[in-house]
Amino acid sequence: MSCKELMKVLGLGAVAFVLGVEWLNWLKRRLRDSRGPLKEVLFFPSPQVCVEHLFIRHKHFPCACPLPHGVETSFSRLLVHLLSARVSLDLCVFSFSHMELSRAILLLHKQGVVVRVVTDRDYMTITGSQIGALRKAGICVRHEMSSAVHMHHKFALVDSRKLITGSLNWTLTAVQSNKENVMVTEEPELVGPYQQEFQKLWEANDPANHKPQYTNGQLNIKTCKDK
């Protein structure tokens, strides 16, 4: 076979490979569409397993930690959904002290995902809260400005199309000890109202719309403006 013929065969092979990949992707989309929008329910408490592979995909496994490996749990599924964000993550959470969930949010921020967080003014300052770590990394966080009510929501919006919501606070106790539930869906009829609620809270708690509050001459809590 001549060099010219070989190049032609290789070219045709490359085209066939690309077409094959495109066909498989098309087939996956059709199968997903035939099942309708994503609907998944997760229940807690969740057993402790290794989730390192979700953060470092290129690392050789199993890792050296003593936790079970290769086991899918409600918590690992929650991480998978959160880490699927490619463009944006809007998070509304009452209590946030879980280290691995914080690690996931910080990783998304590092990857260029636009992260916005709305939280409770009282619980953001409790011992172990991860809100300070998020702010230190440059993530924009706003808290409920009113001292008369709690921001008690627990939901996240992934890329403005996937809703994660339920009773779960983002704490170790909630994940490992409490009876909790989380629903994950891409139903537009459900995602839409949560998008509106998040935007309403985001705008209502814009520090530019509120006078700084002082106690004994000191500003109570730092707030974040839009970048």
Side-chain angles (χ1 to χ4, degrees), residues 2-121:
S2 67
C3 182
K4 186 176 181 180
E5 290 174 332
L6 178 60
M7 293 298 294
K8 184 177 180 181
V9 170
L10 291 175
L12 290 172
V15 171
F17 175 77
V18 171
L19 291 175
V21 170
E22 289 296 322
W23 181 82
L24 285 174
N25 289 335
W26 174 85
L27 183 60
K28 288 179 181 178
R29 289 194 297 270
R30 289 297 300 271
L31 289 172
R32 183 185 62 190
D33 293 342
S34 67
R35 295 192 299 266
L38 170 69
K39 302 184 189 75
E40 185 174 355
V41 177
L42 307 173
F43 291 106
F44 295 80
S46 181
Q48 284 186 277
V49 300
C50 179
V51 294
E52 191 67 18
H53 62 287
L54 299 177
F55 295 98
I56 311 176
R57 296 184 181 275
H58 65 274
K59 187 176 179 180
H60 179 69
F61 276 87
C63 72
C65 81
L67 295 174
H69 295 81
V71 180
E72 188 173 76
T73 66
S74 292
F75 181 64
S76 69
R77 290 296 302 156
L78 175 60
L79 282 174
V80 166
H81 286 300
L82 288 170
L83 291 170
S84 70
R86 293 294 177 267
V87 178
S88 65
L89 177 70
D90 290 335
L91 174 61
C92 224
V93 63
F94 174 64
S95 183
F96 187 178
S97 59
H98 198 291
M99 296 289 290
E100 293 297 336
L101 289 171
S102 176
R103 182 183 177 191
I105 304 307
L106 291 170
L107 177 60
L108 290 173
H109 175 66
K110 185 177 180 180
Q111 292 172 344
V113 174
V114 177
V115 180
R116 300 187 297 176
V117 179
V118 176
T119 190
D120 185 74
R121 64 180 291 132

Side-chain angles (χ1 to χ4, degrees), residues 206-218:
D206 184 346
N209 299 328
H210 298 265
K211 292 181 179 180
Q213 299 180 16
Y214 292 87
T215 301
N216 298 325
Q218 293 187 346

Side-chain angles (χ1 to χ4, degrees), residues 149-187:
V149 298
H150 282 297
M151 202 305 299
H152 208 247
H153 285 314
K154 301 107 178 174
F155 70 84
L157 292 159
V158 178
D159 292 337
S160 299
R161 63 176 178 81
K162 181 188 294 184
L163 168 67
I164 303 171
T165 187
S167 66
L168 185 78
N169 271 311
W170 285 27
T171 67
L172 187 64
T173 299
V175 169
Q176 294 185 3
S177 303
N178 292 353
K179 300 292 185 182
E180 307 277 4
N181 68 85
V182 168
M183 180 185 69
V184 185
T185 181
E186 292 181 349
E187 286 276 5

